[in-house]
Amino acid sequence: MVVLKAAGLAKTYRIGFWRKKVVALRDATFDVRPNEVFGLIGPNGAGKTTTIKILTGLVTADAGEGSLLGRPLGTVGARHALGYLPEQPYFYEHLTAEELLDYYGALYGMDRPTRQRRAAELIEQVGLGHASDRPIRKFSKGMMQRAGLAQALIHDPELVILDEPKTGLDPIGRAQVDAIIRDLKAQGKAVFFASHILSDVEKVCDRVGIMVRGKVRDVGPLDKLLNAKVLEVEVLVEGLDEARRPEIEALGVTWERRGEEQVLLRAEAAPPAREALALAVRAGAAVRGYEERREHLEDLFLRMAKGQGDDA
Amino acid sequence: MTREVSPPMGRQLGAIAWNTFRAAIRSRVLHGIVVLAAALVLSSLAVGQLSVDNDARVIRDMGTSFISLTVVAVAIFSGVSLLQAEVQRKTIYTIVTKPVSRGLFIFGKFLGLALTLLVIEAVLGGVLLLLIAVRGDPFGVVLIQSLLLTLGEGLVVAAIATFFSSFSTPVTSGVVTFGLFVLGRLWEALHRYAETAGGEALQLVMPVAEVLLPDLTLGRADLEVAYLIPLHWSYVAYAAGYDLCYAGVALLLASLIFARRDFV
């Protein structure tokens, strides 16, 4: 059983007076499972937001199909199981946060006591307790984002779709979003999370989909997608004489002086770095740091983007 | 937590209508319009003084005309932005992604606007009736009937504006709606012109125009108001039925168009 299934979703927009075709999405195929945080990453213009708009029923796909808890995408039944935070959300400025959540709760068919209880809980959870009776027109960007997160959760949905949820948030807000996502996962909910900030995705996602030029290139758990190979090793030593430099560089290790005393040795693999380290220790230098850098999500993403560029 | 697959439509409709109405009554622009309109209704008192023995008639005539113009103006301005404001401010993103059909959303928004028009008319009508009562002028049931007809006209104009708002920009929608309002007010004159002086082309166009153009002359009772001649209630009911049918069809078409839109 999957919570969300997308198979071959595609969308071409027609823009301008001459109805010029712009391909926004070529092939979005992935699924989101229960109790999972799924991240969709890609550069600006990759097709993430178009994918989300198809999933939420804002836009109709030209091709492909999808379902949410077994119900076809875009139907009222599918939307009932969904909570959605748009990128840079806008709300009715004449309402307070309480009124806003009450309104959205009513659209889900919730009765008044449930709406009021849930609104009060969420306002506290997203950190808007101090501004619950303030009109939204007086909200900052970060407060708007928090209100958006609260409205996405008002009906306790099975799947929460978050489009760039940390935009405009301060560090406290960002940590709160992480906590809410973890909390949703702990409750057995599924979270679909789109972002171009890779560290955000890396921190909370169980699986990621990498989207480049309208196509989901690869989907999987982060540890499976990331190359386990060491990409670079850095050794920081102190008190190493300049006379040792030719020997070190002969190992294929670069030499970079850092201030008066320190030297940064950098190699593309572990063996030469370790040889250089041993040489430095024998020469009486003190080791101040050793770091093996493996592939991060950012490297993977760049690798995929480059591969796609080569394909084109 | 409530977990119906299809939420109660009545609750959704009520929530959308109430939110639309609440936005209107909290709008300072609307407050300004109502205050100005009330001042204009009261100004009929001064204009009435200029007439010889006809001041009561002038007050009734001008008062109901100002109310009618205000209701139509608010119907056009609010109607053209009813849907477009949601699209342009992107609040639509958080509505159509909820389990709400787009048709229901349009009907809910329209219901909120109708409630706004009703309240505006009640306030301005109250000012006029109070003025008449304070002066001790004769009162006739036709004044109430005229206010009801004006409300019906406002609903038709609001529905036309909503229809154009479902696919066009506010400016275009406003211009076209105003044009249809003018033609609708001239409905009988156009009809007479086509019968007497119109060419063959006009004769061909008129049957289509008769169906498409709103007959807004049904909502006018200027002579009856001026001379306090009561209308037959069956006429009021007929006009109301016509207005509701016309508005209903306009909203249905708006729903069909809106349901096919992509919100990019």
Side-chain angles (χ1 to χ4, degrees):
Chain A
M1 175 71 177
V2 294
V3 175
L4 174 68
K5 189 172 176 60
L9 297 178
K11 181 71 184 177
T12 299
Y13 293 119
R14 291 179 174 273
I15 57 166
F17 183 78
W18 301 107
R19 313 289 290 159
K20 189 182 164 197
K21 284 184 180 179
V22 176
V23 180
L25 197 61
R26 294 171 202 275
D27 176 14
T29 302
F30 56 87
D31 57 42
V32 179
R33 299 161 193 169
N35 196 23
E36 174 182 70
V37 181
F38 183 93
L40 186 65
I41 57 168
N44 294 331
K48 302 186 298 293
T49 296
T50 300
T51 304
I52 287 179
K53 285 183 175 175
I54 292 172
L55 299 179
T56 53
L58 283 165
V59 164
T60 312
D62 296 334
E65 56 184 19
S67 63
L68 210 163
L69 290 172
R71 299 177 193 124
L73 290 179
T75 58
V76 168
R79 295 203 298 269
H80 198 274
L82 177 76
Y84 168 53
L85 168 67
E87 185 181 4
Q88 294 178 330
Y90 293 86
F91 298 110
Y92 300 96
E93 294 183 340
H94 64 281
L95 298 180
T96 64
E98 273 176 4
E99 290 170 338
L100 183 83
L101 294 181
D102 186 70
Y103 175 47
Y104 287 130
L107 296 185
Y108 282 107
M110 295 162 66
D111 58 54
R112 184 179 286 273
T114 311
R115 296 199 305 261
Q116 287 176 338
R117 176 180 56 76
R118 190 76 183 134
E121 281 170 13
L122 285 167
I123 283 171
E124 286 303 322
Q125 194 180 356
V126 300
L128 282 177
H130 64 290
S132 61
D133 57 353
R134 196 183 299 174
I136 285 176
R137 79 171 69 89
K138 293 184 178 169
F139 273 22
S140 68
K141 198 176 172 187
M143 290 165 80
M144 200 81 96
Q145 195 76 6
R146 290 164 194 258
L149 201 55
Q151 64 81 33
L153 303 175
I154 186 74
H155 63 304
D156 193 19
E158 289 302 316
L159 171 71
V160 184
I161 294 183
L162 308 171
D163 193 358
E164 306 282 1
K166 296 188 183 178
T167 306
L169 291 179
D170 55 23
I172 297 168
R174 298 169 78 82
Q176 278 171 334
V177 170
D178 285 344
I180 288 170
I181 290 174
R182 287 193 194 101
D183 191 36
L184 288 168
K185 184 176 153 67
Q187 291 170 39
K189 312 285 182 189
V191 180
F192 180 97
F193 178 5
S195 181
H196 66 276
I197 302 170
L198 303 180
S199 56
D200 290 347
V201 177
E202 212 161 19
K203 212 181 286 177
V204 292
C205 291
D206 300 309
R207 288 193 309 141
V208 295
I210 298 170
M211 181 165 250
V212 182
R213 293 187 188 179
K215 185 174 165 64
V216 175
R217 288 290 309 270
D218 216 341
V219 179
L222 267 178
D223 55 348
K224 294 272 166 51
L225 291 179
L226 296 175
N227 195 337
K229 200 178 88 176
V230 172
L231 294 179
E232 193 177 62
V233 182
E234 288 182 344
V235 183
L236 187 64
V237 292
E238 197 171 294
L240 183 61
D241 196 83
E242 186 75 21
R244 301 287 180 184
R245 183 169 181 166
E247 281 177 80
I248 298 273
E249 286 183 337
L251 296 169
V253 175
T254 62
W255 173 289
E256 191 182 315
R257 186 153 287 284
R258 291 280 173 95
E260 292 284 311
E261 295 291 318
Q262 294 186 334
V263 177
L264 182 68
L265 308 175
R266 193 182 281 134
E268 287 184 359
R274 285 180 194 143
E275 274 189 61
L277 174 64
L279 204 151
V281 170
R282 281 200 301 276
V287 181
R288 294 293 178 227
Y290 179 92
E291 189 184 6
E292 289 184 353
R293 197 173 76 77
R294 291 172 199 276
E295 189 174 57
H296 287 285
L297 194 50
E298 193 168 351
D299 304 304
L300 171 70
F301 174 65
L302 290 171
R303 176 157 60 87
M304 291 249 172
K306 188 172 180 297
Q308 178 72 12
D310 295 343
D311 295 345
Chain B
M1 186 112 342
T2 315
R3 278 232 169 274
E4 304 103 316
V5 170
S6 296
M9 284 170 66
R11 187 173 290 165
Q12 293 179 319
L13 195 69
I16 295 165
W18 179 246
N19 188 46
T20 307
F21 175 67
R22 192 160 43 181
I25 58 168
R26 290 182 185 178
S27 158
R28 285 179 189 163
V29 176
L30 198 73
H31 293 169
I33 289 172
V34 172
V35 169
L36 183 67
L40 284 172
V41 170
L42 289 172
S43 75
S44 62
L45 188 64
V47 179
Q49 301 294 324
L50 301 175
S51 68
V52 182
D53 294 335
N54 275 329
D55 48 343
R57 205 188 83 184
V58 169
I59 287 169
R60 286 195 298 275
D61 206 14
M62 281 187 68
T64 51
S65 296
F66 282 136
I67 292 172
S68 169
L69 285 177
T70 305
V71 167
V72 167
V74 173
I76 293 177
F77 285 114
S78 302
V80 296
S81 59
L82 201 62
L83 301 176
Q84 280 304 321
E86 298 265 359
V87 175
Q88 285 171 357
R89 291 177 192 159
K90 296 184 179 175
T91 45
I92 195 81
Y93 286 9
T94 53
I95 300 294
V96 298
T97 53
K98 304 276 186 287
V100 179
S101 79
R102 295 187 187 183
L104 187 100
F105 177 63
I106 288 183
F107 276 90
K109 293 286 291 180
F110 183 79
L111 212 58
L113 177 54
L115 193 58
T116 308
L117 295 179
L118 178 68
V119 168
I120 289 172
E121 184 151 343
V123 170
L124 297 179
V127 170
L128 177 63
L129 294 179
L130 192 67
L131 184 63
I132 289 170
V134 167
R135 279 173 47 89
D137 290 342
F139 171 82
V141 72
V142 70
L143 286 166
I144 303 295
Q145 291 173 323
S146 165
L147 290 174
L148 288 174
L149 293 175
T150 296
L151 181 65
E153 183 186 51
L155 293 182
V156 169
V157 172
I160 294 170
T162 305
F163 167 71
F164 286 110
S165 170
S166 68
F167 62 90
S168 187
T169 62
V171 173
T172 311
S173 304
V175 170
V176 178
T177 305
F178 181 71
L180 286 176
F181 162 69
V182 172
L183 289 173
R185 279 272 178 109
L186 296 173
W187 202 87
E188 274 182 8
L190 282 172
H191 204 264
R192 277 202 300 276
Y193 177 76
E195 280 180 345
T196 54
E200 278 185 26
L202 199 57
Q203 295 286 353
L204 285 172
V205 169
M206 272 317 282
V208 180
E210 279 176 7
V211 174
L212 295 180
L213 278 182
D215 181 3
L216 299 180
T217 57
L218 288 174
R220 304 305 304 157
D222 300 341
L223 201 65
E224 289 81 356
V225 166
Y227 294 103
L228 288 177
I229 305 164
L231 294 164
H232 203 287
W233 279 106
S234 63
Y235 173 78
V236 178
Y238 168 74
Y242 173 87
D243 291 341
L244 290 177
C245 287
Y246 194 95
V249 171
L251 293 179
L252 201 63
L253 292 173
S255 303
L256 292 173
I257 294 168
F258 204 61
R260 294 171 59 86
R261 275 188 70 170
D262 278 346
F263 297 106
V264 180

Short mmCIF file of all heavy atoms in Angstrom, two decimals, chain A residues 138-167:
data_model
loop_
_atom_site.label_atom_id
_atom_site.label_comp_id
_atom_site.label_asym_id
_atom_site.label_seq_id
_atom_site.Cartn_x
_atom_site.Cartn_y
_atom_site.Cartn_z
N LYS A 138 -0.95 41.90 9.22
CA LYS A 138 0.17 42.39 10.03
C LYS A 138 1.22 41.30 10.27
O LYS A 138 2.13 41.49 11.06
CB LYS A 138 -0.36 42.93 11.36
CG LYS A 138 -1.20 44.18 11.17
CD LYS A 138 -1.65 44.76 12.47
CE LYS A 138 -2.45 46.02 12.20
NZ LYS A 138 -3.13 46.52 13.40
N PHE A 139 1.10 40.17 9.62
CA PHE A 139 2.04 39.06 9.80
C PHE A 139 3.31 39.30 8.98
O PHE A 139 3.26 39.81 7.87
CB PHE A 139 1.41 37.74 9.34
CG PHE A 139 0.60 37.04 10.41
CD1 PHE A 139 0.09 37.72 11.50
CD2 PHE A 139 0.34 35.68 10.32
CE1 PHE A 139 -0.67 37.08 12.46
CE2 PHE A 139 -0.40 35.02 11.27
CZ PHE A 139 -0.91 35.72 12.36
N SER A 140 4.45 38.85 9.54
CA SER A 140 5.69 38.84 8.77
C SER A 140 5.67 37.63 7.85
O SER A 140 4.78 36.77 7.96
CB SER A 140 6.88 38.76 9.73
OG SER A 140 6.87 37.49 10.35
N LYS A 141 6.69 37.54 6.99
CA LYS A 141 6.77 36.42 6.05
C LYS A 141 6.87 35.09 6.80
O LYS A 141 6.21 34.10 6.45
CB LYS A 141 8.01 36.61 5.16
CG LYS A 141 8.00 35.80 3.91
CD LYS A 141 9.22 36.16 3.07
CE LYS A 141 9.32 35.20 1.89
NZ LYS A 141 10.57 35.38 1.15
N GLY A 142 7.68 35.09 7.85
CA GLY A 142 7.86 33.87 8.64
C GLY A 142 6.56 33.46 9.34
O GLY A 142 6.23 32.27 9.42
N MET A 143 5.83 34.46 9.85
CA MET A 143 4.56 34.16 10.53
C MET A 143 3.54 33.60 9.54
O MET A 143 2.76 32.71 9.86
CB MET A 143 4.01 35.42 11.20
CG MET A 143 4.83 35.85 12.41
SD MET A 143 4.43 37.53 12.90
CE MET A 143 2.93 37.27 13.82
N MET A 144 3.60 34.13 8.32
CA MET A 144 2.70 33.64 7.27
C MET A 144 3.00 32.17 6.98
O MET A 144 2.08 31.36 6.79
CB MET A 144 2.92 34.49 6.00
CG MET A 144 1.80 34.46 5.04
SD MET A 144 0.51 35.57 5.51
CE MET A 144 0.91 36.99 4.55
N GLN A 145 4.28 31.86 6.95
CA GLN A 145 4.70 30.47 6.68
C GLN A 145 4.20 29.55 7.80
O GLN A 145 3.75 28.44 7.55
CB GLN A 145 6.23 30.44 6.59
CG GLN A 145 6.81 29.20 5.96
CD GLN A 145 6.67 29.18 4.44
OE1 GLN A 145 6.22 30.16 3.84
NE2 GLN A 145 7.01 28.08 3.82
N ARG A 146 4.27 30.03 9.03
CA ARG A 146 3.80 29.23 10.17
C ARG A 146 2.28 29.02 10.09
O ARG A 146 1.78 27.94 10.36
CB ARG A 146 4.15 29.95 11.49
CG ARG A 146 5.63 29.96 11.80
CD ARG A 146 5.91 31.00 12.88
NE ARG A 146 7.33 31.29 12.98
CZ ARG A 146 8.12 30.80 13.92
NH1 ARG A 146 7.65 30.01 14.84
NH2 ARG A 146 9.39 31.11 13.94
N ALA A 147 1.59 30.09 9.71
CA ALA A 147 0.12 29.96 9.56
C ALA A 147 -0.19 28.95 8.45
O ALA A 147 -1.14 28.15 8.57
CB ALA A 147 -0.50 31.32 9.22
N GLY A 148 0.64 28.99 7.40
CA GLY A 148 0.45 28.05 6.29
C GLY A 148 0.64 26.61 6.73
O GLY A 148 -0.11 25.71 6.32
N LEU A 149 1.62 26.42 7.57
CA LEU A 149 1.88 25.07 8.07
C LEU A 149 0.70 24.60 8.94
O LEU A 149 0.26 23.45 8.84
CB LEU A 149 3.17 25.10 8.89
CG LEU A 149 3.91 23.81 9.11
CD1 LEU A 149 4.23 23.13 7.79
CD2 LEU A 149 5.21 24.06 9.87
N ALA A 150 0.19 25.50 9.75
CA ALA A 150 -0.94 25.15 10.63
C ALA A 150 -2.17 24.77 9.80
O ALA A 150 -2.86 23.78 10.10
CB ALA A 150 -1.27 26.32 11.56
N GLN A 151 -2.47 25.54 8.74
CA GLN A 151 -3.66 25.23 7.94
C GLN A 151 -3.50 23.90 7.20
O GLN A 151 -4.47 23.21 6.94
CB GLN A 151 -4.03 26.37 6.99
CG GLN A 151 -3.03 26.72 5.89
CD GLN A 151 -3.10 25.83 4.67
OE1 GLN A 151 -4.17 25.36 4.31
NE2 GLN A 151 -1.96 25.57 4.06
N ALA A 152 -2.25 23.54 6.88
CA ALA A 152 -2.03 22.26 6.19
C ALA A 152 -2.31 21.07 7.11
O ALA A 152 -2.59 19.97 6.64
CB ALA A 152 -0.61 22.19 5.66
N LEU A 153 -2.24 21.33 8.42
CA LEU A 153 -2.39 20.22 9.39
C LEU A 153 -3.74 20.22 10.09
O LEU A 153 -4.00 19.35 10.92
CB LEU A 153 -1.27 20.32 10.44
CG LEU A 153 0.16 20.32 9.91
CD1 LEU A 153 1.14 20.54 11.06
CD2 LEU A 153 0.47 19.01 9.21
N ILE A 154 -4.60 21.20 9.77
CA ILE A 154 -5.83 21.41 10.55
C ILE A 154 -6.70 20.16 10.66
O ILE A 154 -7.30 19.91 11.70
CB ILE A 154 -6.64 22.62 9.99
CG1 ILE A 154 -7.85 22.95 10.87
CG2 ILE A 154 -7.10 22.38 8.57
CD1 ILE A 154 -7.53 23.61 12.15
N HIS A 155 -6.74 19.35 9.61
CA HIS A 155 -7.66 18.19 9.62
C HIS A 155 -6.93 16.88 9.86
O HIS A 155 -7.48 15.82 9.57
CB HIS A 155 -8.45 18.15 8.31
CG HIS A 155 -7.57 17.95 7.11
ND1 HIS A 155 -6.53 18.78 6.81
CD2 HIS A 155 -7.57 17.00 6.14
CE1 HIS A 155 -5.94 18.36 5.70
NE2 HIS A 155 -6.54 17.29 5.28
N ASP A 156 -5.68 16.98 10.35
CA ASP A 156 -4.91 15.78 10.68
C ASP A 156 -4.81 14.85 9.45
O ASP A 156 -5.26 13.70 9.48
CB ASP A 156 -5.59 15.05 11.84
CG ASP A 156 -4.68 14.00 12.45
OD1 ASP A 156 -3.47 14.08 12.23
OD2 ASP A 156 -5.20 13.08 13.12
N PRO A 157 -4.21 15.36 8.37
CA PRO A 157 -4.23 14.60 7.11
C PRO A 157 -3.29 13.39 7.11
O PRO A 157 -2.34 13.34 7.91
CB PRO A 157 -3.75 15.63 6.08
CG PRO A 157 -2.89 16.56 6.87
CD PRO A 157 -3.48 16.63 8.24
N GLU A 158 -3.54 12.48 6.19
CA GLU A 158 -2.69 11.30 6.04
C GLU A 158 -1.39 11.65 5.32
O GLU A 158 -0.36 11.04 5.56
CB GLU A 158 -3.42 10.22 5.23
CG GLU A 158 -4.57 9.57 5.96
CD GLU A 158 -4.13 8.93 7.26
OE1 GLU A 158 -3.09 8.25 7.29
OE2 GLU A 158 -4.83 9.13 8.28
N LEU A 159 -1.48 12.60 4.42
CA LEU A 159 -0.30 13.04 3.66
C LEU A 159 -0.21 14.56 3.72
O LEU A 159 -1.19 15.25 3.50
CB LEU A 159 -0.42 12.61 2.19
CG LEU A 159 0.63 13.18 1.23
CD1 LEU A 159 2.00 12.57 1.48
CD2 LEU A 159 0.24 12.95 -0.22
N VAL A 160 0.99 15.04 4.02
CA VAL A 160 1.20 16.49 4.04
C VAL A 160 2.20 16.83 2.94
O VAL A 160 3.28 16.26 2.88
CB VAL A 160 1.75 16.96 5.41
CG1 VAL A 160 1.88 18.47 5.44
CG2 VAL A 160 0.84 16.49 6.53
N ILE A 161 1.79 17.74 2.06
CA ILE A 161 2.68 18.17 0.98
C ILE A 161 3.19 19.57 1.31
O ILE A 161 2.39 20.50 1.48
CB ILE A 161 1.94 18.16 -0.38
CG1 ILE A 161 1.57 16.71 -0.74
CG2 ILE A 161 2.79 18.79 -1.47
CD1 ILE A 161 0.88 16.55 -2.08
N LEU A 162 4.49 19.69 1.41
CA LEU A 162 5.09 20.95 1.81
C LEU A 162 6.00 21.44 0.68
O LEU A 162 6.96 20.77 0.32
CB LEU A 162 5.93 20.77 3.09
CG LEU A 162 5.24 20.10 4.28
CD1 LEU A 162 6.24 19.79 5.37
CD2 LEU A 162 4.14 21.00 4.82
N ASP A 163 5.68 22.61 0.13
CA ASP A 163 6.48 23.16 -0.96
C ASP A 163 7.38 24.25 -0.37
O ASP A 163 6.91 25.31 0.00
CB ASP A 163 5.54 23.74 -2.04
CG ASP A 163 6.27 24.04 -3.33
OD1 ASP A 163 7.50 23.84 -3.39
OD2 ASP A 163 5.61 24.45 -4.30
N GLU A 164 8.65 23.97 -0.31
CA GLU A 164 9.65 24.88 0.27
C GLU A 164 9.18 25.41 1.63
O GLU A 164 9.01 26.61 1.82
CB GLU A 164 9.91 26.07 -0.68
CG GLU A 164 10.30 25.69 -2.09
CD GLU A 164 11.77 25.26 -2.23
OE1 GLU A 164 12.47 25.23 -1.22
OE2 GLU A 164 12.16 24.93 -3.35
N PRO A 165 8.98 24.52 2.61
CA PRO A 165 8.34 24.94 3.86
C PRO A 165 9.19 25.85 4.75
O PRO A 165 8.66 26.48 5.65
CB PRO A 165 8.07 23.62 4.57
CG PRO A 165 9.09 22.68 4.04
CD PRO A 165 9.31 23.09 2.61
N LYS A 166 10.49 25.92 4.49
CA LYS A 166 11.32 26.72 5.40
C LYS A 166 11.63 28.10 4.87
O LYS A 166 12.36 28.86 5.50
CB LYS A 166 12.61 25.96 5.69
CG LYS A 166 12.38 24.64 6.42
CD LYS A 166 13.69 24.04 6.86
CE LYS A 166 13.47 22.70 7.53
NZ LYS A 166 14.73 22.07 7.92
N THR A 167 11.07 28.44 3.72
CA THR A 167 11.31 29.76 3.14
C THR A 167 10.85 30.84 4.10
O THR A 167 9.72 30.82 4.59
CB THR A 167 10.53 29.90 1.81
OG1 THR A 167 10.89 28.80 0.98
CG2 THR A 167 10.86 31.20 1.10
#
